[in-house]
Amino acid sequence: MLSKKTKYAINALVYLSKKPPKQPILISEIAEHENIPQKFLEAILLDLKKAGILASKKGKGGGYFLLKSTDDVNMADVMRLFDGPIALLPCVTHKYYQKCDECVDEETCGIRSVFLEVRNQTVDLLKKATLAEIIKRGILIH
Amino acid sequence: MLSKKTKYAINALVYLSKKPPKQPILISEIAEHENIPQKFLEAILLDLKKAGILASKKGKGGGYFLLKSTDDVNMADVMRLFDGPIALLPCVTHKYYQKCDECVDEETCGIRSVFLEVRNQTVDLLKKATLAEIIKRGILIH
DNA sequence: TATTAGTCTATTAATACAATAGACTTTATA
DNA sequence: TATAAAGTCTATTGTATTAATAGACTAATA
């Protein structure tokens, strides 16, 4: 399951995606509309900014807005940012490969083989799941 | 990431799958060979027994052995048993549907649509990942 | 009937997640 | 240029989950 942090991040991103481009939106507005504790949301937005997904404008009339295009923000990136690797085993992560503690002999890598396939397919799907795609599907349903 | 419990369970199951059918294996043997705290393993094996995957024989010459065929034990079942639903959102689980707390308006279901697809594909893959498949792949590699 | 081995309940330790509090800095604009 | 609006940062707290441990109890077999 996704952590609350990731869920909040996705909800906030979708909310911002529906606003006119570059228009700064108040943290308080997002927090209220999406039912997110404001202070918690501040930290999340800050992380998204550090990751280059959002930008912010300070002072009166300031707020957060989407920096990247909705086509360029996908769920794989967001999940990795807050929940870490998508892989189910440390030995099948793309960047941070680590031998499983439990791995005693090489025969066990039948397990690895299977979970590598799961990871690859999941990542592919999550990369296709962009903000643009989410919004498109949201519209189609109504 | 899989919990240790699930990893231990998979390792134990693969270990038992390689033994002659119905031959009781000591908990201590599995624990030692797979580097699992014995007491922790006992609880895991008990859960697998309750789930109908393993059986046990008490007394001298006793131990645990696979009850189901290696074709009939898949990673989706094992993961659900110890880590709960495979879905990434409560609103896309098969059995225990629950509205997301964070879901404020129906438009957000673009998110649901995307994560439903992820869940379905993941479950399909994990169901194909049987013990038999894991062992087959393990052999192929060596 | 002694020994081996599985079953069960309770407790503790460690870690990660979620949320909160408050002080500080920056910026727009009246 | 003061001030109010708004973002940034650090630290702390509470809570839940995971991982592991301890020990008493029950059952079965040679």
Side-chain angles (χ1 to χ4, degrees):
Chain A
M1 289 277 171
L2 300 183
S3 69
K4 291 238 172 184
K5 223 169 181 172
T6 303
K7 280 197 234 171
Y8 290 157
I10 295 170
N11 288 134
L13 285 170
V14 171
Y15 185 76
L16 289 176
S17 298
K18 291 174 182 168
K19 297 288 179 179
K22 312 286 176 195
Q23 182 189 314
I25 307 294
L26 292 184
I27 294 178
S28 58
E29 179 183 334
I30 307 170
E32 196 171 345
H33 194 274
E34 298 296 319
N35 266 311
I36 307 172
Q38 176 157 345
K39 276 289 179 183
F40 200 26
L41 179 59
E42 285 178 17
I44 292 165
L45 295 177
L46 212 51
D47 284 343
L48 288 168
K49 183 184 170 184
K50 282 176 190 161
I53 295 171
L54 295 182
S56 67
K57 190 163 175 285
K58 288 188 177 182
K60 197 163 189 172
Y64 275 94
F65 54 93
L66 210 59
L67 186 61
K68 285 193 179 180
S69 137
T70 54
D71 282 320
D72 292 334
V73 181
N74 65 63
M75 294 303 106
D77 294 336
V78 178
M79 285 173 60
R80 284 202 182 105
L81 196 57
F82 296 104
D83 286 350
I86 287 152
L88 293 168
L89 292 176
C91 62
V92 297
T93 56
H94 186 54
K95 286 197 162 182
Y96 304 99
Y97 170 81
Q98 225 182 325
K99 190 172 173 297
C100 295
D101 309 329
E102 295 76 30
C103 211
V104 284
D105 58 11
E106 310 87 57
E107 284 165 302
T108 337
C109 59
I111 298 173
R112 181 172 183 273
S113 163
V114 151
F115 279 95
L116 182 58
E117 201 180 323
V118 171
R119 188 214 88 106
N120 288 340
Q121 283 219 24
T122 307
V123 170
D124 283 350
L125 259 183
L126 288 173
K127 285 206 168 168
K128 283 183 201 145
T130 61
L131 290 176
E133 178 67 21
I134 286 174
I135 287 161
K136 190 179 120 202
R137 294 204 193 188
I139 294 166
L140 285 177
I141 289 165
H142 296 97
Chain B
M1 287 276 172
L2 300 183
S3 68
K4 292 236 172 188
K5 222 169 182 173
T6 303
K7 280 198 233 170
Y8 290 158
I10 295 171
N11 288 134
L13 285 169
V14 170
Y15 185 75
L16 289 176
S17 298
K18 291 175 180 168
K19 297 288 180 178
K22 311 285 175 194
Q23 183 189 311
I25 308 295
L26 292 182
I27 294 180
S28 58
E29 179 184 331
I30 307 171
E32 196 172 346
H33 194 275
E34 298 295 321
N35 266 310
I36 307 173
Q38 177 157 346
K39 276 289 180 184
F40 201 28
L41 179 60
E42 284 179 17
I44 292 165
L45 295 177
L46 213 51
D47 285 343
L48 288 169
K49 183 184 168 183
K50 283 175 189 160
I53 296 171
L54 297 181
S56 68
K57 190 165 175 283
K58 287 187 176 183
K60 197 162 188 174
Y64 275 94
F65 55 93
L66 209 60
L67 186 61
K68 285 195 177 178
S69 137
T70 54
D71 282 319
D72 292 333
V73 182
N74 65 63
M75 294 305 103
D77 294 336
V78 177
M79 284 173 59
R80 284 202 181 105
L81 195 57
F82 296 105
D83 286 349
I86 287 153
L88 292 168
L89 292 176
C91 62
V92 296
T93 56
H94 186 54
K95 287 195 162 185
Y96 305 99
Y97 170 83
Q98 226 183 323
K99 189 170 173 297
C100 294
D101 308 329
E102 295 75 32
C103 215
V104 282
D105 58 12
E106 309 86 55
E107 286 165 300
T108 336
C109 60
I111 298 173
R112 182 172 183 270
S113 163
V114 151
F115 279 95
L116 181 59
E117 201 179 324
V118 171
R119 188 215 88 108
N120 288 339
Q121 281 219 26
T122 308
V123 169
D124 281 352
L125 260 184
L126 287 173
K127 285 206 169 170
K128 285 185 201 144
T130 61
L131 290 176
E133 179 67 20
I134 286 174
I135 287 161
K136 190 178 119 200
R137 294 204 193 186
I139 291 165
L140 285 177
I141 291 163
H142 295 98

